Amino acid sequence: MTDISKEAMMPPRSFLSQDAVQVFYRLLAALLICAVLAVLSDSFLSLGNILNVLRQASLTFFIASGLTLVVLTAGLDLSVGANVALSACIAGTVIHKTGSPALGILTGLACGGLVGLLNGIMVTALRIPSFIATYGMLWVLNGLTYWYMAGETLHGFPAGFRQIGSGYLFGLPIPVYLLLVFLGIGTLFAQRTIWGQEIYAIGANPVAARLSGIPVARRLLLVYAVSGTMAGLASIIFLSRLNSAEADIGESLTLPAIAAVLIGGTSLFGGVGTVFGTFIGALILTLVLNGMNLLSVSANWQPLVTGIIVILAVWLDMKTRRRAQ
Amino acid sequence: MTRKLGYLALPLLMAATLTTEARADGETIAVFTKNQTNPFFQTVRVGADNMAKTLNAKTLQYIPTKPDSIPEQLSQIEDVVVKKPSAIVFTPVDYKAMVPGVEKINEAKIPVVNITDRSAGGKFLSFVGADDYSLGLETARFLLKTLGGKGNIVIIEGVKGSLTNVDRVRGFNDALKETPGAKLLASQPGNYQRLQALQVMENLMQSNSQIDGVLAANDAMAVGAIEALDGANRKAQVIGINGTKEAIDAIKSGKLLASGDYNGFAQGCLGTMMAIRSLRNQPVINEIVLKPTVITKDNYQPFDVPLEQRTCPTFEDAGKLGAK
């Protein structure tokens, strides 16, 4: 296959600009939520609270950014939360045993990446639908983590290591820097590299992608490995921020990550969406929870409000998309 | 196809059960707990093993692989009804939904002791548990007393609608009601999760410049709240519930004020003890609701011992431990 046919498979320009329009709508929605919260709560617009929201959104974003690439290929990775739990427990053990944060960080990233790679192998070589492969992986990882931890909690890590999750640099929390870096890398990778464009093409039409010479299996392996590695990164942030790890931290991370991707406008059918949209998605989810805490909304209503926001966001997305087409 | 395999498996399964029963020298006690993730149930299991060893019996642990899974515990009950252990020590994953399961055990005429969460139905020879309400009340009282009966308080709740959370939070609120000087600023959900509690605390600190006390419905959330306070260079007195190892360490280092002890170890010990005693036709106590213990800097030492090295209470102690 020639490069020319590869070029032909790239999403046409209008696709990208439509994505830009969708991101713009989302940014408006986030700003609208901010405006409402600013009116309702005096403390919302303080610098402290804004940094607070960004730092809280970062953990969801790390997991969701890798997941975005998977969803762009019309796949899904349900094992991300369980992956964070296992990677955090293993990285934590390594730091405790060796006293070396660097070794722990590497182990956490490697563990996450390896799990992602295994997901990729199941999806490509064994041709198991990603939904089922990663759901199975979720159980395997939970089983391993529960067995390994046996009801114990790991806690107490070196002060230097803890800076990653809870430290500041020039007044900004360090996770916010990491968020900006990965937002930049993710956006550049998806929009400006051949590999990124091939990922869009695979999601839009896998058969056409294969026929035009895109190494589909290799790109899919990459995408799942990236998703796993980002879960590994999230596990390091989690460890250093909370100073501890336990087996059951994963479950409550998976759904918000998937919600961030969907609110961010990435289509479950593949080929459409952006990493920046996912960032806005994570931001909207965090803003809603932050606002409910600031306004002391009763614990009874919080899941309901979050659910409505997710449904509203996806509905609005489909409506504006249809109009654009 | 699967059916045929099932028929094949049945005689194998029966053969397996028969051989284990023939080999057993002491009684076999099946112990049901809710999950592998909560350190509390680990203490229950160690307590049960400890007591069984002392009394020369054996335990078989049944734990759902998916935490608190109702269908999984139901199928484990079906399994145990076939295997017929001498007795069962049972924590329902859900106090209402597991009633049909308990009825199955009753039909199979296997004696069963209920521990931790009180089942809404079925016949038990004994109940051993702690009272979440008085645990919440006493631990909150201790915090309010430490603060001199005044100050701004926030509550971090567990999973909304769970039995433990409802009673613990009710205890917190009643302690606040009897302390007119204390002001409840907010009661927000942390779902028993460390990360969520940390974020809730970070958010609440934005809208409240002065927080003096934090009442968290479990230890993981209490420690999460402390991380948030530390991160913002603010100080408040924090309490948790469960008496986990992590909480004891935090009490020792002065970060956590107190933790209400839910006493899983004693529950495991006493539940197993009552089951074995009834099999040996010895008298049992029908109901033991353990008195709440508030673990603080002054009394943490006995809780600082590794679980495996702790000793179970005796039958004579059991009567004294219960508060009715």
Side-chain angles (χ1 to χ4, degrees), chain B residues 20-41:
Chain B
T20 36
E21 248 174 62
R23 236 186 284 141
D25 37 49
E27 299 92 335
T28 309
I29 311 296
V31 181
F32 282 76
T33 42
K34 286 194 198 179
N35 58 56
Q36 286 178 299
T37 51
N38 185 341
F40 170 79
F41 292 108

Side-chain angles (χ1 to χ4, degrees), chain B:
Chain B
M1 184 60 199
T2 34
R3 237 197 201 178
K4 269 190 192 153
L5 277 174
Y7 286 134
L8 270 174
L10 203 64
L12 283 174
L13 210 82
M14 281 164 68
T17 1
L18 286 174
T19 44
T20 36
E21 248 174 62
R23 236 186 284 141
D25 37 49
E27 299 92 335
T28 309
I29 311 296
V31 181
F32 282 76
T33 42
K34 286 194 198 179
N35 58 56
Q36 286 178 299
T37 51
N38 185 341
F40 170 79
F41 292 108
Q42 184 63 15
T43 67
V44 172
R45 291 189 284 269
V46 174
D49 288 347
N50 186 319
M51 182 52 84
K53 212 171 164 191
T54 315
L55 296 177
N56 201 20
K58 286 196 309 193
T59 57
L60 255 181
Q61 302 286 354
Y62 284 86
I63 316 159
T65 51
K66 181 166 176 7
D68 301 1
S69 161
I70 293 168
E72 214 176 322
Q73 194 175 56
L74 273 174
S75 70
Q76 287 180 337
I77 287 178
E78 279 159 15
D79 184 38
V80 94
V81 165
V82 177
K83 278 192 179 160
K84 282 217 181 282
S86 321
I88 294 172
V89 174
F90 187 73
T91 316
V93 291
D94 183 294
Y95 73 109
K96 279 185 199 151
M98 291 315 297
V99 172
V102 177
E103 282 164 352
K104 266 186 200 154
I105 297 173
N106 290 156
E107 276 165 35
K109 302 228 169 358
I110 306 170
V112 50
V113 176
N114 184 194
I115 62 166
T116 310
D117 286 356
R118 197 188 290 268
S119 169
K123 287 193 292 288
F124 293 95
L125 66 93
S126 175
F127 172 77
V128 183
D131 173 10
D132 281 297
Y133 169 75
S134 52
L135 205 55
L137 183 72
E138 292 300 333
T139 319
R141 273 180 180 161
F142 181 78
L143 177 130
L144 293 169
K145 208 178 83 189
T146 308
L147 290 177
K150 57 185 193 314
N152 292 335
I153 310 294
V154 297
I155 292 177
I156 305 182
E157 302 176 26
V159 173
K160 201 76 197 167
S162 75
L163 198 58
T164 51
N165 181 59
V166 171
D167 288 346
R168 286 174 189 183
V169 171
R170 195 161 54 88
F172 289 165
N173 278 309
D174 282 2
L176 282 164
K177 267 181 219 147
E178 59 188 38
T179 319
K183 187 177 166 225
L184 178 64
L185 297 175
S187 191
Q188 291 285 294
N191 292 319
Y192 287 141
Q193 290 284 335
R194 189 184 305 265
L195 174 67
Q196 288 176 37
L198 168 115
Q199 296 188 340
V200 161
M201 196 64 204
E202 283 176 344
N203 293 341
L204 290 178
M205 283 191 295
Q206 301 297 331
S207 49
N208 299 287
S209 53
Q210 181 67 37
I211 296 173
D212 305 298
V214 180
L215 307 171
N218 77 354
D219 287 336
M221 294 198 296
V223 176
I226 292 172
E227 291 300 338
L229 286 160
D230 280 356
N233 277 323
R234 282 168 66 165
K235 286 262 173 297
Q237 298 287 6
V238 182
I239 58 110
I241 286 181
N242 273 352
T244 57
K245 183 178 179 304
E246 181 186 20
I248 307 293
D249 288 349
I251 289 171
K252 259 203 294 196
S253 65
K255 289 195 159 218
L256 184 69
L257 177 68
S259 175
D261 181 25
Y262 202 59
N263 226 328
F265 183 75
Q267 291 186 37
C269 290
L270 295 175
T272 310
M273 178 199 281
M274 294 311 149
I276 296 173
R277 286 181 70 91
S278 96
L279 290 172
R280 296 176 183 175
N281 292 319
Q282 292 166 321
V284 299
I285 306 173
N286 296 27
E287 169 136 345
I288 303 173
V289 178
L290 298 163
K291 276 181 209 156
T293 312
V294 180
I295 308 171
T296 69
K297 220 171 167 48
D298 301 320
N299 69 350
Y300 72 84
Q301 288 84 355
F303 300 92
D304 202 21
V305 177
L307 274 174
E308 287 71 17
Q309 290 164 26
R310 294 192 204 170
T311 43
C312 276
T314 62
F315 184 67
E316 285 67 38
D317 292 338
K320 283 176 251 159
L321 283 170
K324 270 302 328 175

Side-chain angles (χ1 to χ4, degrees), chain A:
Chain A
M1 287 290 155
T2 62
D3 278 326
I4 298 157
S5 58
K6 253 191 208 177
E7 283 297 321
M9 268 317 297
M10 295 303 144
R13 272 271 163 258
S14 65
F15 252 79
L16 284 181
S17 63
Q18 196 200 326
D19 276 336
V21 171
Q22 295 300 321
V23 167
F24 176 71
Y25 276 127
R26 251 159 221 93
L27 213 49
L28 271 186
L31 286 175
L32 191 72
I33 294 174
C34 288
V36 171
L37 289 176
V39 171
L40 291 176
S41 164
D42 301 335
S43 34
F44 176 75
L45 274 185
S46 69
L47 179 67
N49 193 52
I50 290 167
L51 292 181
N52 183 28
V53 166
L54 283 174
R55 184 169 56 183
Q56 291 182 0
S58 69
L59 192 65
T60 309
F61 172 74
F62 294 137
I63 305 172
S65 61
L67 190 58
T68 306
L69 299 184
V70 174
V71 177
L72 279 176
T73 65
L76 194 57
D77 186 349
L78 293 172
S79 68
V80 281
N83 192 352
V84 173
L86 180 67
S87 301
C89 292
I90 288 181
T93 312
V94 168
I95 296 175
H96 271 186
K97 290 261 155 74
T98 65
S100 158
L103 212 55
I105 294 170
L106 284 178
T107 318
L109 293 175
C111 174
L114 187 70
V115 168
L117 204 58
L118 287 176
N119 280 332
I121 290 171
M122 284 195 286
V123 171
T124 53
L126 307 181
R127 310 220 168 187
I128 304 172
S130 64
F131 179 87
I132 295 164
T134 58
Y135 185 61
M137 182 57 89
L138 179 160
W139 284 77
V140 170
L141 297 178
N142 275 346
L144 280 174
T145 318
Y146 296 162
W147 164 77
Y148 180 65
M149 296 297 284
E152 296 288 326
T153 303
L154 281 170
H155 65 106
F157 294 99
F161 174 68
R162 302 232 31 228
Q163 287 296 312
I164 304 171
S166 42
Y168 286 80
L169 194 67
F170 307 120
L172 280 182
I174 290 172
V176 175
Y177 287 100
L178 289 172
L179 182 139
L180 293 175
V181 166
F182 281 95
L183 182 57
I185 294 176
T187 303
L188 282 179
F189 173 77
Q191 311 295 343
R192 292 275 175 266
T193 67
I194 295 285
W195 284 11
Q197 294 301 294
E198 286 175 349
I199 287 166
Y200 277 92
I202 291 168
N205 190 340
V207 177
R210 188 169 296 121
L211 291 178
S212 68
I214 295 173
V216 175
R218 258 187 284 157
R219 294 296 170 268
L220 285 178
L221 269 182
L222 171 78
V223 158
Y224 285 91
V226 167
S227 176
T229 311
M230 289 309 286
L233 175 76
S235 81
I236 299 301
I237 306 294
F238 189 103
L239 263 188
S240 65
R241 226 183 135 204
L242 285 130
N243 199 20
S244 72
E246 56 218 315
D248 69 341
I249 58 178
E251 205 164 342
S252 59
L253 296 173
T254 309
L255 286 180
I258 294 174
V261 174
L262 297 184
I263 295 176
T266 300
S267 162
L268 277 175
F269 300 107
V272 176
T274 55
V275 175
F276 192 80
T278 298
F279 163 64
I280 308 281
L283 203 58
I284 289 177
L285 275 177
T286 313
L287 280 171
V288 170
L289 279 178
N290 172 259
M292 288 193 292
N293 286 154
L294 293 186
L295 300 171
S296 278
V297 174
S298 153
N300 285 322
W301 300 110
Q302 297 202 3
L304 185 125
V305 173
T306 310
I308 289 176
I309 299 279
V310 172
I311 294 171
L312 258 181
V314 175
W315 174 69
L316 271 176
D317 176 46
M318 291 170 68
K319 210 171 144 74
T320 49
R321 228 177 254 286
R322 246 177 259 137
R323 193 176 302 155
Q325 280 166 0

